[in-house]
């Protein structure tokens, strides 16, 4: 049995106690996500530049983001296992503490001019992103059906602050870094170190009692009829949720990763400043689409249902891909497509993550959550790599239409996920068998 950290582990907590802990947990996680997003945004804003500079080849600039993505995948399942045995506090702080080691290696690599060490540093930094992803699941540990989607989406929304502010810390970071003798282009990592360190302190100090350990205690001690946070296992619905989230992530990353290259071609002949301005605005609006409306999609998931909200996400993704394909010659159309792409990703990720959580029994939940984060990261990384070849072969519009296959698959499988999510547990298990 995992350690609940409570001397009264055999006493069922009251509903009021559980609700109070849940409210505090959502706020703590939201603050942690602001700090974690700030750290991650500052980290990645210069990743491509550092990779190109140390390797001497611009074609290697995407390897920094790829290394972080695969590092996220590699640490997702181990962090979920730590959460299952020791709770969310230790899991989240472990992921962020390991990421700090990666930041140190990146700074050292720049000082030494060592490109392989730089990639190792970014690979290790992926553990911080894995912890950030796990935070959204931590928001559901004590949630009920009525608020599960909303609580998860609030934590996702909190990422907006860090994601928007982080990349803008490059200039101030360079000033501070230069003042203390840091290698060029690494000053922004001072903000990463501070923000991530503060996030660790927030989780260690404020996340008490641990939401996952308290949830395990509720399930173990409360009568079966009075456990609103526990759900019967529905493996088919859980698998559909994992697929839908991974497919949406692969769709988003594949198109988003190639958009700066395509916009650079569209603005050929313009000044470098004008080109960078168009690219920066488009990506910023895309990021806003990913996070700003996540509470809306959380509310829709609670009121309309998880699978219907996933289908709303697929409709938005399809609209994005069609706009990108048929409007590929227009920077305005591409920008609109990227906003729709972010919105579709948000709706699918919020509703899919909620469906995964409530379709998994307490004993299997954290393991499946880790598998989901692993799968979406791997699919995103592979998608970004393959997208470059497809772009060169079929162009930006062709890439958008090829990626539509993932959207179609999620829509075609939706009835299976819907039936499994509403079927009695015995039927769902029989269907899975």
């Amino acid at each position: 049995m995992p350690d609940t950290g409570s001397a009264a582990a055999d006493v069922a907590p009251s509903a009021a106690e559980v609700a109070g802990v849940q409210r505090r947990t959502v706020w703590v996680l939201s603050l942690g996500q602001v700090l974690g997003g700030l750290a991650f945004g500052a980290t990645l804003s210069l990743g491509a530049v550092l990779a190109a500079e140390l390797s001497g080849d611009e074609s290697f600039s995407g390897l920094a983001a790829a290394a972080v993505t695969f590092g996220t995948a590699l640490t997702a399942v181990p962090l979920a296992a730590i959460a299952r045995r020791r709770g969310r506090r230790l899991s989240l702080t472990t992921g962020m503490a390991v990421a700090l080691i990666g930041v140190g290696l990146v700074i050292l690599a720049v000082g030494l001019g060592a490109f392989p060490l730089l990639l190792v540093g970014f690979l290790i930094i992926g553990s911080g992103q894995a912890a950030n992803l796990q935070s959204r699941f931590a928001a559901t540990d004590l949630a009920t059906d009525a608020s599960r989607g909303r609580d998860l989406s609030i934590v996702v929304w909190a990422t907006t602050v860090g994601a928007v502010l982080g990349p803008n810390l490059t200039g101030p970071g360079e000033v501070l870094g230069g003042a203390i003798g840091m290698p060029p282009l690494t000053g922004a990592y001072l903000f990463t170190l501070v923000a991530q360190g503060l996030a660790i302190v927030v989780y260690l100090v404020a996340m008490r009692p641990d939401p996952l350990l308290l949830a395990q205690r509720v399930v173990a001690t409360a009568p079966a009829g009075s456990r609103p946070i526990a759900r019967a296992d529905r493996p088919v619905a859980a698998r559909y949720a994992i697929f839908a989230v991974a497919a949406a992530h692969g769709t988003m990353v594949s198109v988003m990763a190639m958009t700066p290259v395509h916009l650079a071609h569209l603005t050929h002949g313009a000044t470098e400043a004008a080109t960078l301005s168009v690219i920066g605005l488009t990506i910023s609006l895309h990021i806003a689409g990913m996070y700003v409306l996540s509470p809306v999609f959380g509310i829709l998931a609670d009121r309309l249902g998880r699978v219907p909200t996933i289908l709303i996400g697929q409709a938005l993704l399809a609209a994005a891909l069609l706009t990108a394909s048929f409007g590929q010659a227009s920077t305005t159309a591409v920008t609109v497509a990227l906003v729709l792409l972010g919105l579709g990703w948000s709706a699918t990720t919020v509703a899919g993550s909620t469906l995964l959580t409530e379709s998994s029994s307490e004993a299997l939940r954290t393991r499946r959550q880790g598998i989901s984060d692993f799968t979406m990261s791997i699919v995103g990384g592979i998608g970004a790599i393959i997208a470059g070849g497809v772009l060169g072969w079929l162009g930006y519009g062709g890439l958008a239409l090829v990626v539509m296959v993932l959207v179609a698959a999620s829509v075609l499988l939706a009835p299976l996920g819907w039936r499994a999510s509403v079927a009695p547990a015995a039927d769902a298990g029989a269907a899975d068998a």
Side-chain angles (χ1 to χ4, degrees), residues 9-22:
D10 57 339
V11 178
S14 67
E17 178 186 356
V18 171
V21 174
Q22 172 64 3

Side-chain angles (χ1 to χ4, degrees), residues 294-371:
S294 56
V296 174
F297 295 125
I299 293 171
L300 288 176
D302 287 336
R303 295 185 179 181
L304 297 182
R306 320 313 186 193
V307 176
T309 306
I310 290 175
L311 290 176
I312 291 174
Q314 300 310 301
L316 290 167
L317 290 174
L321 297 176
L322 291 173
T323 302
S325 181
F326 293 103
Q328 61 180 315
S330 166
T331 56
T332 300
V334 171
T335 300
V336 170
L338 264 288
V339 173
L340 291 172
L341 194 69
L343 292 172
W345 176 90
S346 181
T348 305
T349 300
V350 168
S353 299
T354 304
L355 176 62
L356 171 62
T357 297
E358 66 186 20
S359 298
S360 303
S361 65
E362 194 277 329
L364 298 173
R365 186 173 298 165
T366 50
R367 178 174 178 272
R368 286 181 181 161
Q369 290 168 346
I371 291 173

Side-chain angles (χ1 to χ4, degrees), residues 182-258:
M182 292 182 67
L185 298 178
T186 62
Y189 293 108
L190 287 173
F191 295 107
T192 299
L193 293 170
V194 172
Q196 204 130 300
L198 288 174
I200 290 173
V201 172
V202 166
Y203 288 141
L204 284 177
V205 173
M207 194 176 287
R208 295 175 181 272
D210 187 284
L212 182 55
L213 297 184
L214 181 59
Q216 293 171 353
R217 178 179 154 203
V218 170
V219 172
T221 58
S226 60
R227 298 184 301 187
I229 67 170
R231 294 291 298 269
D233 196 59
R234 290 174 170 81
V236 176
R239 289 172 185 172
Y240 173 72
I242 292 173
F243 177 85
V245 169
H249 193 66
T251 299
M252 187 268 290
V253 171
S254 298
V255 176
M256 183 269 292
M258 295 300 107

Side-chain angles (χ1 to χ4, degrees), residues 51-320:
E53 182 170 302
L54 266 65
S55 67
D57 189 340
E58 287 189 354
S59 64
F60 291 155
S61 60
L63 291 183
V68 173
T69 298
F70 287 116
T72 302
L74 290 174
T75 51
V77 174
L79 288 181
I82 292 174
R84 175 65 189 168
R85 293 193 299 267
R86 303 293 299 277
R88 298 290 188 188
R89 287 173 60 248
L90 183 60
S91 176
L92 296 177
T93 55
T94 297
M96 292 190 166
V98 171
L100 288 178
I101 298 174
V103 173
L105 289 179
V106 167
I107 297 173
L108 177 62
V110 176
L112 298 176
F115 180 60
L117 182 61
L118 180 78
L119 294 184
V120 171
F122 279 120
L123 186 75
I124 296 175
I125 285 173
S127 67
Q129 177 67 349
N132 286 342
L133 287 174
Q134 193 181 103
S135 294
R136 76 189 192 281
F137 287 126
T140 66
D141 289 333
L142 294 170
T144 63
D145 291 352
S147 66
R148 190 172 288 114
R150 183 200 63 197
D151 291 348
L152 183 147
S153 66
I154 289 173
V155 174
V156 172
W157 177 86
T159 309
T160 308
V161 179
V164 172
L165 291 181
N168 294 311
L169 295 176
T170 302
E174 279 303 286
V175 174
L176 291 176
I180 61 175
M182 292 182 67
L185 298 178
T186 62
Y189 293 108
L190 287 173
F191 295 107
T192 299
L193 293 170
V194 172
Q196 204 130 300
L198 288 174
I200 290 173
V201 172
V202 166
Y203 288 141
L204 284 177
V205 173
M207 194 176 287
R208 295 175 181 272
D210 187 284
L212 182 55
L213 297 184
L214 181 59
Q216 293 171 353
R217 178 179 154 203
V218 170
V219 172
T221 58
S226 60
R227 298 184 301 187
I229 67 170
R231 294 291 298 269
D233 196 59
R234 290 174 170 81
V236 176
R239 289 172 185 172
Y240 173 72
I242 292 173
F243 177 85
V245 169
H249 193 66
T251 299
M252 187 268 290
V253 171
S254 298
V255 176
M256 183 269 292
M258 295 300 107
T259 297
V261 177
H262 179 64
L263 289 175
H265 290 159
L266 285 182
T267 56
H268 181 69
T271 64
E272 181 180 2
T275 297
L276 292 177
S277 177
V278 170
I279 293 173
L281 175 63
T282 301
I283 298 303
S284 295
L285 291 174
H286 167 68
I287 292 174
M290 290 174 62
Y291 298 115
V292 170
L293 293 184
S294 56
V296 174
F297 295 125
I299 293 171
L300 288 176
D302 287 336
R303 295 185 179 181
L304 297 182
R306 320 313 186 193
V307 176
T309 306
I310 290 175
L311 290 176
I312 291 174
Q314 300 310 301
L316 290 167
L317 290 174

